[in-house]
Amino acid sequence: MNSNSQQMPAERLNGQAAAPAGTAALPLVLEMRGITKRFPGVVALQDVSLDLRPGEVLALMGENGAGKSTLMKILGGAIRPDEGTVLVRGYPVVFHGVSDARRHGIVLIHQELMLAGNLDIAGNIFLGNEPRTAGFILRHKMHADAQALMQRVGLSCPSNTTVRTLTAGQMQMVEIAKALARRPDIIIMDEPTSSLTLTETQRLFEIIDELRDNGASIIYISHRLDEVEHLADRVVVLRDGRRVGEMDRANATRDRIITMMVGRQLSNWFPPATNKPSEEIVLQADDLVVPGAKARVSFAARRGEILGFAGLVGSGRTELMQTIFGITPNRGGAMLLDGQPFAPTSARQAIARGVFLAPEDRKQHGLVLGMSIANNISMPAIGGYGSRFWLHRKVERTVAEQQRTSLNIKAPSIAVTAKSLSGGNQQKVVLAKWLAMKPKVLMLDEPTRGVDVGAKAEIYRQVRALAEQGITILMVSSDMEEVLGLSDRIAIMYSRQLRAVLTRKEATQEKVAAIMTGISPDQLHSEVA
């Protein structure tokens, strides 16, 4: 511990804090009292208190911008509060850095992956925590210990695998293994399942149960309400930087959580279609070959239709969208757009025909975070805002303000940078830049990933409104509730093949999940018969 941190009250034994004499019966492992944090122009947290018990899973809920991340960064040692006190096992502590928090048994698993892509898995798991003797790293022991941790989280590849070659889900499991390597008492999990497959998510839930049974305490942040209902012993809700309430497992219903988070009831969570989609086919794909696929993909999307694409991670949904958008080459088959041949070899060609893609990773591929809202909205059609040598800023501002109003983008002005916005408002900016160009086909890849419930409801209303205007929507989502609630039809992919297309009436959660995992539609029909 560095000299500026208060002395830890007890030795840590095998990752567990041993309480001093007379304190073994303390009911709380963590207390945060009256935490206040101000940033220029905004009060991020105002007099927030939080407590945590041994062996408890506490869900911390709130909309984007509610203060959850700020509170957890304070607990994780990344930032310091302006006011308030933190007590660990009854003793007040002051964290001057992440290492201080770790020494007190607190580990934060970030939503944004914090891995070194050029290192192998073992090197990442034990980075800064390598087993040593006489100053030398014990590489054999490090890889053996890493392999044991990988087996625990369900990673089957060798420990010397370079991290940059892993899938997003595998990288997330490395982050979890990295946290477990420190044998923490308190684990903060921020959206841990956002990149995980169903199998990986189930394994994570099993790990959480094991940790809870062994006395570890977990603060779990997620916008997926079904996960919170499944895991949480208690739920604490923040809104606008303040603590607004707490519920135990028995009282933490979905409706109560949502109402507490947004300050109102959300009616029509999935807005109903007021118009039936046209029978007119806008986009037709015949025998497309998705990269890495053994079979060909054929489908037809109609005007004003929301065609949802369901499937496990790796099923080929994103690759299919990228092929349609011209990012990856089409290795076979053909497409028609409004009855005319459509074979883009670049995103620019797809955009010129009115086919747009809002990508899964909005921060890396959908936005230029350091640029303003107005600049991001105008970027795809920059040629329409002036000449080769100058930009008509007034037109740019007018269009951006129109989109800001239409999509209810919450920001002080269109001049603020995209990186300063919450996840939901960043997603709205991605939509805004394409809507300003009047799309024919809009592909949405995981449109609400990392978005809070209030912003989700707004995005759902916007997507339905776009379909009502005659825009064809192709929506990829790993959220089963979202696919079933918003889609007019559901295309189900497995192993980069399109296995079935179901109408809204035909689709049930059980049927979609079964086809996603490889059961053929014919098998389902025969079982029903």
Side-chain angles (χ1 to χ4, degrees):
M1 184 182 306
N2 68 43
S3 59
N4 294 325
S5 177
Q6 292 190 19
Q7 179 64 37
M8 190 174 178
E11 295 285 323
R12 287 181 50 78
L13 302 175
N14 296 322
Q16 299 295 318
T23 66
L26 281 176
L28 298 176
V29 68
L30 170 73
E31 297 173 76
M32 303 181 78
R33 296 285 176 252
I35 302 297
T36 296
K37 181 63 182 179
R38 304 177 186 88
F39 295 105
V42 63
V43 179
L45 293 169
Q46 181 66 50
D47 193 28
V48 173
S49 295
L50 182 79
D51 57 55
L52 186 64
R53 299 160 187 152
E56 178 181 42
V57 176
L58 175 68
L60 183 61
M61 306 290 289
E63 295 187 272
N64 293 119
K68 305 185 302 297
S69 295
T70 301
L71 186 64
M72 291 302 98
K73 286 178 181 177
I74 289 171
L75 180 56
I79 59 177
R80 295 184 63 182
D82 296 321
E83 299 170 18
T85 304
V86 177
L87 297 94
V88 176
R89 297 192 180 276
Y91 285 81
V93 295
V94 176
F95 299 145
H96 294 275
V98 173
S99 59
D100 281 359
R102 287 176 177 169
R103 290 188 183 101
H104 281 78
I106 302 170
V107 172
L108 170 59
I109 302 175
H110 296 268
Q111 180 182 2
E112 305 296 334
L113 298 176
M114 309 287 283
L115 299 174
N118 61 317
L119 297 181
D120 60 23
I121 294 174
N124 272 277
I125 289 176
F126 290 100
L127 187 62
N129 189 35
E130 298 89 350
R132 296 173 181 268
T133 183
F136 294 97
I137 296 175
L138 301 174
R139 297 196 178 278
H140 179 75
K141 176 175 172 53
M142 184 174 75
H143 280 274
D145 291 348
Q147 206 69 56
L149 286 165
M150 290 165 62
Q151 183 176 357
R152 185 177 177 188
V153 301
L155 270 176
S156 57
C157 48
S159 61
N160 61 357
T161 304
T162 305
V163 160
R164 64 167 170 260
T165 65
L166 303 178
T167 66
Q170 289 172 325
M171 290 183 186
Q172 184 67 62
M173 299 310 279
V174 173
E175 282 279 17
I176 294 166
K178 181 179 176 181
L180 297 180
R182 294 185 177 274
R183 300 178 181 178
D185 300 323
I186 299 171
I187 307 172
I188 306 162
M189 297 185 176
D190 190 356
E191 294 285 351
T193 64
S194 62
S195 300
L196 300 185
T197 65
L198 290 177
T199 301
E200 290 166 340
T201 296
Q202 184 57 45
R203 181 59 195 139
L204 174 62
F205 290 172
E206 292 170 0
I207 292 169
I208 289 173
D209 287 338
E210 292 170 7
L211 290 167
R212 174 163 44 193
D213 291 344
N214 290 325
S217 303
I218 296 167
I219 299 177
Y220 192 90
I221 301 173
S222 178
H223 294 305
R224 296 182 175 180
L225 296 176
D226 56 336
E227 295 180 2
V228 171
E229 290 176 327
H230 176 76
L231 291 170
D233 299 304
R234 279 191 303 141
V235 177
V236 169
V237 179
L238 302 184
R239 185 171 73 239
D240 298 328
R242 295 176 179 270
R243 173 176 168 145
V244 294
E246 172 187 319
M247 293 165 279
D248 59 22
R249 179 192 289 270
N251 296 312
T253 64
R254 182 169 302 204
D255 287 343
R256 290 190 66 185
I257 293 172
I258 292 173
T259 300
M260 198 174 286
M261 285 173 63
V262 302
R264 66 190 188 282
Q265 288 189 329
L266 290 179
S267 58
N268 296 329
W269 178 250
F270 294 106
T274 57
N275 295 324
K276 185 178 180 181
S278 167
E279 293 299 318
E280 178 187 356
I281 294 175
V282 174
L283 178 67
Q284 182 169 331
D286 294 310
D287 294 331
L288 287 187
V289 178
V290 178
K294 297 178 181 178
R296 296 171 182 264
V297 174
S298 299
F299 68 90
R302 302 161 184 160
R303 189 172 305 282
E305 176 181 40
I306 301 175
L307 179 59
F309 283 80
L312 302 177
V313 174
S315 63
R317 300 166 303 166
T318 293
E319 292 80 0
L320 176 60
M321 299 301 118
Q322 292 174 343
T323 298
I324 296 170
F325 195 50
I327 296 176
T328 57
N330 176 21
R331 296 186 171 89
M335 288 186 287
L336 295 176
L337 181 66
D338 285 336
Q340 300 298 316
F342 176 61
T345 57
S346 68
R348 185 184 297 274
Q349 291 181 6
I351 291 169
R353 295 285 299 275
V355 177
F356 308 142
L357 171 64
E360 176 181 10
D361 189 339
R362 57 179 169 266
K363 291 185 177 181
Q364 185 170 352
H365 300 128
L367 297 168
V368 180
L369 295 175
M371 294 178 65
S372 69
I373 294 173
N375 291 162
N376 271 282
I377 291 174
S378 66
M379 191 183 309
I382 197 72
Y385 292 84
S387 70
R388 181 179 177 182
F389 302 104
W390 58 275
L391 185 65
H392 201 312
R393 294 292 182 186
K394 185 176 180 180
V395 175
E396 181 189 50
R397 288 194 297 270
T398 299
V399 172
E401 284 289 1
Q402 289 172 346
Q403 292 300 324
R404 177 190 177 198
T405 301
S406 174
L407 291 172
N408 192 26
I409 299 172
K410 297 176 183 176
S413 77
I414 57 173
V416 302
T417 60
K419 67 182 177 183
S420 69
L421 303 178
S422 68
N425 285 297
Q426 287 179 347
Q427 187 65 35
K428 291 178 187 179
V429 174
V430 175
L431 292 176
K433 72 177 184 179
W434 295 131
L435 298 183
M437 298 173 65
K438 298 179 171 54
K440 290 181 181 178
V441 177
L442 181 58
M443 295 179 284
L444 306 174
D445 194 351
E446 302 288 359
T448 63
R449 173 165 288 173
V451 172
D452 63 64
V453 292
K456 276 187 180 182
E458 289 188 33
I459 290 173
Y460 294 154
R461 286 194 291 271
Q462 291 293 340
V463 171
R464 176 53 66 188
L466 295 175
E468 302 286 350
Q469 296 168 23
I471 297 171
T472 300
I473 309 288
L474 307 184
M475 183 186 71
V476 171
S477 178
S478 299
D479 187 327
M480 181 72 75
E481 185 180 24
E482 187 170 273
V483 170
L484 292 171
L486 200 58
S487 305
D488 296 305
R489 290 186 300 148
I490 300 174
I492 307 168
M493 297 191 70
Y494 172 76
S495 190
R496 306 197 177 217
Q497 304 172 38
L498 184 58
R499 300 296 293 269
V501 179
L502 306 179
T503 66
R504 181 192 290 267
K505 290 183 178 180
E506 293 172 331
T508 65
Q509 181 166 336
E510 293 76 16
K511 186 181 293 185
V512 174
I515 299 172
M516 283 169 52
T517 54
I519 297 175
S520 74
D522 292 338
Q523 284 178 285
L524 290 176
H525 291 317
S526 63
E527 289 174 7
V528 171

